[in-house]
Amino acid sequence: MDPAEVMQRAIDLARQGLGEVEPNPAVGCVIVKDNQIIAEGYHQRFGGPHAEINALHQCRQKGIDPAGATVYVTLEPCCTVGKTGPCTEALIEAKVSKVIAAIEDPSKEISGRGLAQLRQAGIETETGLRRKEAHLLNAPFFKFTHTGRPWVILKWAQSIDGKMAWRTPPREGNWISSPNCRLDVHRQRKKVQAVLTGIDTVLQDNPQLTVRLDGVAVERPPVRIVLDSRLRIPWDCRILTTPDAPTWIVTTPHSFQTDPDKIFKLKQAGIEVLEVAETDQRCDLEEVLIQIGQRGLQQVLVEAGPTLQSRFLESRLADEVRIYIAPLLLGQSGIADITEALSSFSRIPLHHIRTQTLDDNLLISARL
């Protein structure tokens, strides 16, 4: 069998775990013996068995002995005890002969130790096969591990002529994007650890920013984060009145000096209030991301108006964009012109561009 094709199969398997395993990396595993695939597995959910364990379990279910087999895995096997036991010990116990990992695990607890443990047990190891694809698959995990900062995804919906909202007041059913686009957004919310917006969006649209998928229980809802440098958030907004997800308000020293009573009441209501430096009377975005990362949040979805989106782009703090384009020309009936806001910075090349049709809308996703 072509080793590159087998590793690609492992990567395809790993991709099935996206949206369920975060903040863990998505990992796939294929076991080959006598030039035949005898078992497969992937990390299916956060806290559940890892890919290697699931593949070895499939061997047992089939009654096949994995001894002497070659294991293809998209990330270096773990050698630590977390929510599950070490995968290295399971592979050693199974007496496999070789482990091919697409890429090393960058976390300080592992970082080559898993492969070294396998070699000490007499198992041959190899790395680098489909390395680029494996890195792209778990880019948020690698960024967070190396920098301590979250992966930032900018998301917006717009008309063909670049308008992000109607001039009429927001109401149920008054959407730019299609139903399947909105469903896709909820899937993205489920995948990340935080959904971030600005106070202007809260005041204008009054969003909930929760995950709402029919028939899907959300065990770990993303944190709702509102950037509110002057603490204008109203007590009756949905973000404060719907207890379906934890909520953080990010503000500046100005608010702590001028409105300590409101901060006290927010904290009493279970809202976490973060203090960051101020830049031009706005929350400093770089410090916002540092504090989010310090609290262990690995991926952030930014759902906001054009001003905040353009600030992330201008500061080169975004990693990915997801743009939903509806077949509409809003003209004078639309406001919030994203094209005008995006003209404030110089050229930013996009990479790994993908397009997808959702109903009659177009989704463009890309890395920065």
Side-chain angles (χ1 to χ4, degrees):
M1 302 187 71
D2 182 356
E5 291 183 2
V6 178
M7 186 62 80
Q8 185 59 53
R9 172 60 184 164
I11 290 171
D12 293 340
L13 285 167
R15 196 169 282 115
Q16 295 181 43
L18 293 174
E20 301 295 338
V21 303
E22 290 83 3
N24 284 353
V27 181
C29 177
V30 177
I31 303 178
V32 174
K33 187 174 182 179
D34 298 328
N35 209 35
Q36 297 289 327
I37 292 177
I38 61 172
E40 300 178 335
Y42 68 96
H43 187 26
Q44 298 180 12
R45 62 180 180 83
F46 178 78
H50 290 184
E52 301 94 319
I53 304 303
N54 284 330
L56 290 171
H57 178 67
Q58 191 178 95
C59 283
R60 290 192 294 272
Q61 286 183 317
K62 292 180 175 180
I64 301 175
D65 186 358
T70 298
V71 177
Y72 293 78
V73 63
T74 58
L75 186 69
E76 174 184 0
C78 69
C79 56
T80 58
V81 177
K83 292 182 178 295
T84 61
C87 292
T88 51
E89 291 185 5
L91 292 169
I92 292 168
E93 184 179 347
K95 297 179 177 167
V96 303
S97 64
K98 185 174 183 178
V99 173
I100 301 176
I103 194 168
E104 299 83 359
D105 190 317
S107 58
K108 63 181 181 180
E109 298 84 5
I110 303 174
S111 188
R113 293 181 180 87
L115 293 169
Q117 191 177 103
L118 293 173
R119 288 192 295 270
Q120 289 170 3
I123 296 174
E124 185 182 353
T125 66
E126 180 184 322
T127 59
L129 186 62
R130 299 281 189 192
R131 178 186 295 274
K132 180 179 179 181
E133 293 88 340
H135 188 280
L136 286 172
L137 175 71
N138 286 307
F141 170 73
F142 281 94
K143 179 191 177 183
F144 183 78
T145 303
H146 286 304
T147 69
R149 297 192 184 189
W151 183 265
V152 178
I153 306 167
L154 306 184
K155 163 264 165 183
W156 69 81
Q158 66 172 69
S159 61
I160 290 177
D161 55 345
K163 304 296 176 61
M164 293 179 66
W166 304 81
R167 286 191 178 276
T168 53
R171 62 180 185 275
E172 196 67 27
N174 192 20
W175 305 97
I176 286 181
S177 58
S178 71
N180 273 330
C181 288
R182 298 194 296 277
L183 183 63
D184 186 71
V185 170
H186 283 277
R187 293 195 188 102
Q188 287 298 310
R189 289 179 183 174
K190 185 174 183 293
K191 177 181 174 181
V192 302
Q193 290 77 59
V195 180
L196 183 148
T197 194
I199 185 60
D200 288 338
T201 297
V202 173
L203 295 174
Q204 294 169 13
D205 298 342
N206 196 18
Q208 296 183 59
L209 300 183
T210 54
V211 179
R212 300 185 297 281
L213 293 167
D214 290 341
V216 176
V218 183
E219 297 178 1
R220 297 174 296 125
V223 178
R224 298 173 294 191
I225 301 176
V226 180
L227 305 190
D228 185 4
S229 64
R230 290 299 182 263
L231 215 59
R232 293 184 289 152
I233 191 164
W235 289 104
D236 60 350
C237 70
R238 289 179 176 180
I239 283 181
L240 295 185
T241 58
T242 53
D244 305 305
T247 303
W248 299 354
I249 306 298
V250 182
T251 191
T252 62
H254 178 275
S255 299
F256 279 82
Q257 295 168 5
T258 61
D259 207 347
D261 288 342
K262 188 170 185 179
I263 289 175
F264 177 76
K265 291 177 182 177
L266 285 168
K267 291 181 176 179
Q268 274 193 322
I271 308 300
E272 185 166 352
V273 182
L274 281 62
E275 180 181 358
V276 299
E278 182 176 313
T279 303
D280 297 328
Q281 297 187 0
R282 299 179 296 191
C283 297
D284 184 90
L285 293 184
E286 190 163 0
E287 187 175 345
V288 170
L289 296 181
I290 290 172
Q291 291 209 27
I292 290 174
Q294 289 172 344
R295 287 161 174 78
L297 304 188
Q298 188 184 106
Q299 293 193 64
V300 176
L301 180 64
V302 178
E303 298 191 37
T307 301
L308 184 54
Q309 302 280 15
S310 63
R311 284 185 65 205
F312 272 102
L313 289 168
E314 187 174 9
S315 303
R316 301 298 196 269
L317 294 174
D319 301 288
E320 183 178 344
V321 292
R322 295 181 66 83
I323 307 168
Y324 301 84
I325 302 177
L328 296 171
L329 293 169
L330 291 182
Q332 294 300 315
S333 64
I335 57 173
D337 193 326
I338 186 66
T339 56
E340 181 178 343
L342 296 185
S343 64
S344 61
F345 54 83
S346 57
R347 175 179 177 268
I348 298 177
L350 300 179
H351 306 278
H352 310 295
I353 300 168
R354 292 187 298 168
T355 60
Q356 180 182 355
T357 301
L358 297 169
D359 300 320
D360 55 0
N361 287 224
L362 177 66
L363 166 61
I364 300 177
S365 58
R367 302 280 176 90
L368 281 75

